[in-house]
Each structure stands twice: as C-alpha cells, then as structure tokens.
Amino acid sequence: MSKTFLVVAETRGGSLRQVSYETISAARTAGGTDTAVAAVLLGAGASALANELAQYGADRVYTVEHADLEHYNPQAYFAALHAVVQSAQPDAIFFGHTAIGKDLAPQLAAELGTGQISDVTAIEVDGSGETLFTRPIYAGKALEKKAFTAFPWIVTVRPNNITPLAPNATRTADTEAIAYPEPTLHTIIRDVVRNTSGKIDLSEAKVVISGGRGVRSADGFKPLEELAAVLGGAVGASRGACDAGYCDYALQIGQTGKVVTPELYIAAGISGAIQHVAGMSSSRVIIAINKDPEAPIFKIADYGIVGDLFEVVPLLTEQFKQALQP
Amino acid sequence: MNIIVLVKQTFDTEEKIVVEQGTVNEDGVKFVINPYDEYAVEQAIQIRDDAGGKVTVVSVGPERAAEALRTALAMGADEAVLIHDDRIGHDEQAVAAALHAFIAQEQYDIILGGNFSVDNGAGQVAVRLAKMLGIPHTSSITKLDIAAGKAVVHRDAEGDLEVVELPLPALFTAQQGLNEPRYPSLQGIMKAKKKPFRELSLDDLNLDVGAVAARTARTELQLPPARQAGKIISGEPAAQAQELFRLLRTEAKVI
C-alpha cells in the first residue's frame, strides 16, 4: 500500500453515524486500490465500535479515549486528532460535512497549511488518475469539480450522497489506542441540550417533509410532524415559514439555511422561491402540495397535488400508516 | 472592545446562476453582504454600542467588494479594510493567509464572521483564521454574551444547543437567529463616506505569493441537470392521496 487515508468517524448516542460509513466509502473511491483506509474514533467507549468500522471497509482503527472528548470541544478534539495524524501520517483526511467535521477539518487544514475541499457529493478518478471532487456551490445552483494541487488532502463529505460499501461481517481491523495529549483547554462546554428526543437530523434524513407559509401557524406544522413520524423522516421549513415565526430557523432549508438531499422531499404549502429550491432540488423525488396551481414549486416536482395541505397531508399519513403496518 | 468582522461580498440569494465558458457570469448580478456575515456585522455593532470600542470590517476580494464594506460602514462599522490583489489564490487557505497577515498585526478582542458564505459554501476561512492566530473559537453561534473578559455563547450543532464559555480574544461565526441585522439609514450612508477605508495589497502585508497560493483548483463548472415538471395528480383529496401513494410505491419506488 503506497498511501494511507484517514477517516474521522462519528458517533451519536453510542452508535456510529451513517455518514461515517459513507465517508469510508468516499476515501476508498478517492484512494483507489493502493490506499489503506484507516479510521479514527474519538471519545469514551469508542473502541467498542472498531469492528463495525472494519466491516464497512476500514483497514485500521485508531482510538483516543478521554473524558475531555465526551462532548465536542474544538480544542480537545483538535488535539486528539492531531496526535493521531502525527502517528498515522496520512496522505488525506476525510470527515463528514457535519457540525463536528465542518469545525474540525478547517482547524487541521490550517495547522497543516493545506487545502480542503468541503461538502463533497461525488468523487471520481479520471483517465489520467487524478481524483476529482464534485461539490455544489450557490447551494446547488451550480456544481464544481475540484482537485488538490498539494498533499495532504482534507475533504468533508456531505451526508446522504455517497453509497457506503456493503458490510462484510468477516472483516476485522487492527486497532491502535493513541494517548490523549491533555492540552490546556480554554474552551469549556457548559451544557449540551439535545434536540427533542427521537427527531431525525435534517441533513441525514431519507425523508424530509417541509412546510412553508401555507402552514399558517406554528400549529400548522403538526400534520407534517405526524407524517414525518410515520415515514421516519425529518421536518423542515422554508424561509417564509421561519420569517413568519411559525418555526425555528434551525429547520430552514435553502440557500441560507440547510441544504438537503433526501430520497423523498415533500413540500407542503411552499411556493418554491429560488432561495428554497436551491436547498432541496437535489432530492431524489420531490412532491409538491399547494393550493396555488401556478406555484413555481410544481415546475420542479415529480408529483404535484393542487390542494389544501390540511386535507391532503392527514390523508397521506393515513395511507402510509395502513400500508406500512407490519 | 476592538472587534474585527470578516465580510464577503456574494451574489444575492435570489439570483439565477448562469455558467459561461466555465465560470459564473456576473453581468447584471446584484451583490450583497453574505447574509451570515451580516449577522456578524450587526453583533459587532451591538457589542461596540454597549461596551465602547471600534468595529473594523475586513474583506478579501475583488474591487467590487468595496460596496459590501461601504454597506457595513453605513450600518455602523467604524473602519473598513479591503485586501485586494489578483495574486491571492482562489481557495480558503489563500484567503485565510491574507486575512491572517493583516489581523495578526491588529489589536482585537473579538473576531466575528459568518458561518459560511452562500456562494462557495465551504465554511473554512474563519475557523482556519482562528487556528492561525492561535485563539479559541466557537462556530455557528446563535447567542453571544460578553462579560469580564469572557464570552458565553450558544452554538447550534445540527439542532442541538451547546452552551460554551471561552476567554477573549476569541473568534465566533454567526448562525441564523443570532440577531436581526439593521438596514443602513440615510444618515448612516452619508456618514460612511467619511469613515476610514484602507485598500491593501500583498506588498502592504509583506506577503509573498507562495503564502497565498491555492492548494486546490477548480477543473470544471456546470449547472446541475434541470428538473422537469412531473405529474399533477387530480381528483378528490382522498383519491389524490391514494394515487400519490401508489405512484411512490410503483413508479418512484421510494416507499
């Protein structure tokens, strides 16, 4: 093996996040056959998940366990990761484009004085052997391909876009524990308030149901939440709904806000302003429900229903509930 | 309290993107302050009004970026600096290196920037800068309280709320919800014309070209495949719901 690529795996609630498997797959594609893919797990109890990472394609797993790593602290996580990087000397480091990856990757890039390609949705190796990274710009209104002009590479991979490798139950990996360097921490994490339990993160959700001004009030999101619960999806919103005070800005999808790429996107009471469309138009299947037959959202939707969301959405919830009953 | 705000000029979010000969066409496009940077400017003005001191807005970009800085001055910032030099590479490492060369020589307590820019969307420059300056940072904040040389902030981490405490000097990136940016007043626009505005090149910053060379390069730019309008499902609501369910299962195969 001539090269080593390192993947920073993430956990949530004690389990590996889906994006970690996707990121291993991304590193494999980018590196080709002569590259060893190592993964790193930071945090208490991390070593227990090493085997699972091996099954999804990691050749080696580095772990750093310390109480400082219980919650994400930029300084503590950087110090731990930097210790792994010094030991592994990777040619590339891959992260999920997540709250942690978005914060940790640029720190490492600055430390190493190297380039970073962020929010990658596809990877290919061209005829001349150059690895090209596709990333959306202007929130998906255009796509650019980028390449590195120097090593090491630093990449963040957008959740939900790269297919993980099929798990192989017989695969195992060497593990290596790296000592936490115990830096002086200036940053203190006083409290972490988890998102309302059971809610699925928008950026990783396979199904997203969004409401716009058409929901008319905060209560108007209730039917959308019920449908989301049946489909195991997340609830999002347009800027209009957020600006009107019907929901929190954390739900906003669009050029300002989150960009999502689920399998199924249901836009309820959303007219389809260019700002919003930029954030969701890469969804695989789009459904629009709107009273106004002239709403621009119908121009990009795979299926459209001209009607009142308060009538249509509960009927859909009923349909799905019956059909998906075990 | 000396506050530095990182500002980028971007396309208005309602603009359509036209790609011509491998680049984004800028003809007739309306440019604005990156919306996330606008929260940063607003926050800086509020802190300055409260605690006294000075707000300096700084941008690395083309000459037209001066308009965004003038807007920030009209909102209430005190001074502006435009780092403009065609030799600065087109990537985040290069921009962060240019900012670092300027800011490392300045007096500051707080640096504020946007969470990411709505055009390039990489979200790297501010965090890189904090690392290069060797100061702590918190990204994606929705609340900032300053007292006794310390900051207590709320950070939005994918919907989770983290309460973080850190000493100054420190860098923060603004997330939606931090505040409601003000519009420049007529009086503010008039005043802005008299405020200090510096333009700096690599020579002024004592930077050589190698320090601001890009480590990445764009090889291709295109528009995403256009989406076509699909089927409109008609009928009574119950029939519509039933038909939609059938299509999702048999045709789109997502259920």
Side-chain angles (χ1 to χ4, degrees), chain A residues 266-279:
Chain A
I266 302 178
I270 290 177
S271 65
I274 188 167
Q275 212 276 354
H276 181 74
V277 169

Side-chain angles (χ1 to χ4, degrees), chain A residues 127-268:
Chain A
S128 64
E130 184 161 48
T131 306
L132 301 178
F133 298 86
T134 301
R135 60 186 301 272
I137 54 174
Y138 301 93
K141 290 179 191 168
L143 299 173
E144 66 170 354
K145 285 186 186 175
K146 291 191 90 173
F148 287 95
T149 54
F151 277 100
W153 300 349
I154 294 190
V155 178
T156 67
V157 177
R158 181 185 291 191
N160 246 354
N161 281 264
I162 289 172
T163 311
L165 302 167
N168 176 347
T170 62
R171 250 178 138 264
T172 55
D174 299 334
T175 57
E176 185 177 339
I178 302 284
Y180 176 64
E182 309 219 8
T184 308
L185 297 182
H186 299 104
T187 307
I188 302 160
I189 312 301
R190 276 196 186 168
D191 197 11
V192 177
V193 185
R194 290 276 177 226
N195 197 348
T196 326
S197 59
K199 278 198 179 160
I200 294 164
D201 177 56
L202 267 174
S203 59
E204 275 190 293
K206 298 283 182 206
V207 177
V208 174
I209 297 138
S210 283
R213 278 187 190 278
V215 302
R216 298 203 299 256
S217 70
D219 277 350
F221 273 99
K222 283 211 176 114
L224 309 188
E225 282 161 9
E226 284 162 15
L227 179 55
V230 170
L231 291 174
V235 172
S238 72
R239 182 172 173 173
C242 297
D243 282 349
Y246 302 161
C247 64
D248 196 88
Y249 279 112
L251 300 189
Q252 187 184 321
I253 290 165
Q255 192 154 3
T256 50
K258 297 195 167 66
V259 176
V260 296
T261 35
E263 296 268 301
L264 176 63
Y265 189 89
I266 302 178

Side-chain angles (χ1 to χ4, degrees), chain B residues 49-69:
Chain B
D49 288 351
D50 210 33
K54 186 177 79 172
V55 174
T56 305
V57 286
V58 54
S59 190
V60 176
E63 276 173 280
R64 61 166 161 74
E67 298 158 27
L69 292 173

Side-chain angles (χ1 to χ4, degrees), chain B residues 150-164:
Chain B
K150 278 195 304 198
V152 176
V153 303
H154 286 184
R155 165 170 147 86
D156 166 34
E158 294 170 357
D160 290 348
L161 166 72
E162 297 172 2
V163 183
V164 181

Side-chain angles (χ1 to χ4, degrees), chain A residues 103 190 193-194 257 283 303, chain B residues 36 139 160-161 165 227 251:
Chain A
D103 195 65
R190 276 196 186 168
V193 185
R194 290 276 177 226
S283 306
Y303 303 106
Chain B
Y36 291 92
S139 53
D160 290 348
L161 166 72
E165 182 186 309
R227 289 194 86 103
E251 197 175 84

Side-chain angles (χ1 to χ4, degrees), chain B residues 29-210:
Chain B
V29 167
K30 190 181 165 208
F31 289 95
V32 296
I33 296 180
N34 176 44
Y36 291 92
D37 301 353
E38 221 172 12
Y39 300 119
V41 173
E42 174 63 35
Q43 196 64 33
I45 294 168
Q46 287 183 18
I47 296 168
R48 191 262 337 260
D49 288 351
D50 210 33
K54 186 177 79 172
V55 174
T56 305
V57 286
V58 54
S59 190
V60 176
E63 276 173 280
R64 61 166 161 74
E67 298 158 27
L69 292 173
R70 296 249 179 243
T71 305
L73 291 175
M75 286 170 75
D78 302 289
E79 292 184 14
V81 176
L82 174 61
I83 301 169
H84 165 59
D85 198 313
D86 292 338
R87 294 171 291 176
I88 298 171
H90 288 274
D91 82 346
E92 299 81 6
Q93 162 71 19
V95 172
L99 286 170
H100 175 255
F102 168 66
I103 294 170
Q105 297 166 18
E106 296 288 300
Q107 295 285 324
Y108 60 87
D109 303 288
I110 297 169
I111 301 175
L112 281 158
N115 185 23
F116 63 89
S117 62
V118 297
D119 51 2
N120 190 42
Q124 296 178 26
V125 170
V127 176
R128 278 179 180 267
L129 178 65
K131 191 82 212 161
M132 291 163 107
L133 290 167
I135 59 170
H137 77 276
T138 309
S139 53
S140 195
I141 64 164
T142 54
K143 190 172 182 223
L144 172 59
D145 290 323
I146 305 282
K150 278 195 304 198
V152 176
V153 303
H154 286 184
R155 165 170 147 86
D156 166 34
E158 294 170 357
D160 290 348
L161 166 72
E162 297 172 2
V163 183
V164 181
E165 182 186 309
L166 60 171
L168 302 182
L171 178 146
F172 307 96
T173 71
Q175 168 68 308
Q176 214 157 29
L178 180 63
N179 54 45
E180 195 65 52
R182 70 192 68 190
Y183 290 104
S185 64
L186 187 60
Q187 196 190 14
I189 294 167
M190 298 310 288
K191 275 189 184 165
K193 290 177 182 167
K194 292 181 187 147
K195 290 179 176 173
F197 194 115
R198 278 185 283 170
E199 284 195 52
L200 303 176
S201 70
L202 290 189
D203 307 324
D204 300 313
L205 297 171
N206 290 322
L207 270 178
D208 66 45
V209 176

Side-chain angles (χ1 to χ4, degrees), chain B residues 13-30:
Chain B
T13 56
E14 300 296 322
E15 290 286 349
K16 267 199 166 148
I17 302 300
V18 177
V19 173
E20 266 175 15
Q21 293 171 342
T23 60
V24 175
N25 189 336
E26 296 187 352
D27 292 349
V29 167
K30 190 181 165 208

